């Protein structure tokens, strides 16, 4: 049994160390009158879930100290078994993969679904409430567009130098991790030109032998980054 019988007022734990993505998810859930707690790590999520049992856990696949799948497995082992214990929370996994699926074998107990990151508000709410849900108008979000754009600009400024190091040293797996976060941020902040440029560079990282393609994609990203920094206006 859920902690709440109605569709609103659900307890949701959001686990994501990506600030902009977490801000977007919290905004959507709070607009839908959910009670929301947030954590950035697997360890923090474990402690929070056992002390504040949620109805639903929304977690990123990749966390600083583990994965969303490890979180689910550890919760399954630690969840109290008494008849009076709270119901096991459902889990929604967020993945930056183009065609996200549950990684590995069959998921344990409370798994609900995998959503591609970033998902729309509608997709998120349908998954959280496990049913159809009225579309949330863009204007209804508690966080103004400009806040997301400002967060994107800050994230770009913080990550671009490290991304350059990873690409120059051909540590392309690490570069792609940074790119996946930036792609999600650009999509949330509604910057399709920057998102397209980041996706081009991500594809180029899959073909490291083609240094010309990698250089062209990096140059294009630098142009879009400068536009984002200079022209961050409605």
């Amino acid at each position: 049994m859920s902690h709440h019988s109605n569709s609103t007022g659900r307890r949701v734990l959001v686990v994501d160390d990506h600030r902009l993505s977490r801000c977007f998810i919290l905004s959507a859930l709070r607009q839908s009158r959910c009670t929301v707690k947030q954590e950035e790590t697997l360890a923090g999520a474990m402690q929070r879930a056992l002390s504040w049992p949620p109805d639903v856990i929304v977690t990123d696949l990749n966390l600083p100290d583990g994965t969303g799948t490890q979180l689910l497995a550890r919760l399954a082992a630690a969840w109290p078994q008494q008849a009076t214990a709270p119901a096991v929370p459902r889990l929604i996994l967020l993945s930056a993969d183009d065609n996200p699926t549950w990684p590995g074998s069959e998921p344990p107990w409370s798994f609900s679904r995998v959503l591609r990151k970033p998902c729309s508000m509608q997709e998120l709410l349908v998954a959280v409430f496990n049913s159809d849900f009225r579309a949330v108008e863009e204007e209804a979000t508690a966080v103004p567009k400009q806040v997301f754009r400002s967060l994107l600009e800050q994230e770009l400024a913080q990550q671009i130098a490290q991304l350059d190091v990873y690409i120059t040293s051909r540590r392309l797996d690490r570069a792609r991790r940074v790119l996946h976060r930036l792609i999600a941020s650009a999509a949330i902040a509604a910057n399709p030109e920057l998102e397209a440029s980041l996706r081009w560079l991500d594809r180029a990282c899959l073909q490291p032998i083609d240094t010309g393609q990698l250089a062209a994609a990096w140059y294009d990203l630098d142009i879009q980054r400068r536009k984002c920094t200079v022209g961050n206006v409605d």
Side-chain angles (χ1 to χ4, degrees):
M1 175 180 287
S2 170
H3 300 285
H4 304 275
S5 58
N6 59 347
S7 62
T8 56
R10 295 201 176 184
R11 293 157 65 109
V12 183
L13 174 59
V14 177
V15 190
D16 196 338
D17 65 317
H18 184 191
R19 182 185 176 193
L20 199 153
S21 176
R22 193 171 67 248
C23 182
F24 173 78
I25 295 168
L26 293 173
S27 172
L29 294 174
R30 285 171 176 160
Q31 281 292 298
S32 303
R33 292 180 287 168
C34 292
T35 302
V36 187
K37 302 289 185 181
Q38 56 182 310
E39 294 291 342
E40 298 183 21
T41 64
L42 185 154
M46 280 289 297
Q47 183 176 1
R48 177 78 73 174
L50 293 173
S51 63
W52 184 83
D55 296 307
V56 182
I57 298 174
V58 180
T59 180
D60 192 15
L61 174 60
N62 295 305
L63 301 170
D65 55 346
T67 67
T69 55
Q70 289 173 335
L71 170 62
L72 182 55
R74 294 181 190 180
L75 276 176
W79 202 259
Q81 300 299 312
Q82 301 93 329
T84 56
V88 170
R90 289 188 301 106
L91 182 131
I92 297 165
L93 193 65
L94 303 177
S95 171
D97 294 342
D98 288 336
N99 297 295
T101 57
W102 181 265
S105 59
E106 284 295 313
W109 41 278
S110 62
F111 170 70
S112 176
R113 61 183 298 186
V114 182
L115 296 178
R116 184 185 178 193
K117 186 179 180 181
C119 59
S120 68
M121 282 191 178
Q122 178 73 0
E123 288 176 308
L124 176 65
L125 296 177
V126 166
V128 166
F129 296 121
N130 203 27
S131 63
D132 290 338
F133 197 85
R134 179 181 57 83
V136 176
E137 297 295 333
E138 189 176 3
E139 290 75 17
T141 179
V143 181
K145 291 179 182 178
Q146 189 58 32
V147 172
F148 288 127
R149 293 174 184 171
S150 178
L151 288 172
L152 172 62
E153 184 178 342
Q154 293 172 30
E155 188 176 356
L156 272 171
Q158 293 167 357
Q159 297 293 335
I160 200 71
Q162 186 65 70
L163 185 58
D164 189 12
V165 169
Y166 287 152
I167 290 176
T168 302
S169 62
R170 290 298 189 270
R171 288 181 283 175
L172 299 182
D173 285 346
R174 293 192 177 187
R176 294 193 71 218
R177 291 177 197 169
V178 175
L179 284 167
H180 285 175
R181 292 168 70 99
L182 290 172
I183 288 168
S185 296
I188 292 169
N191 190 326
E193 292 83 8
L194 179 63
E195 182 185 355
S197 182
L198 289 162
R199 289 189 183 278
W200 181 15
L201 183 56
D202 185 47
R203 290 192 300 272
C205 286
L206 293 173
Q207 303 171 354
I209 297 177
D210 190 348
T211 56
Q213 182 81 349
L214 200 59
W218 177 259
Y219 178 71
D220 184 73
L221 175 59
D222 189 54
I223 292 173
Q224 295 302 329
R225 178 183 65 85
R226 293 175 188 276
K227 287 181 180 178
C228 178
T229 303
V230 174
N232 191 8
V233 296
D234 285 321

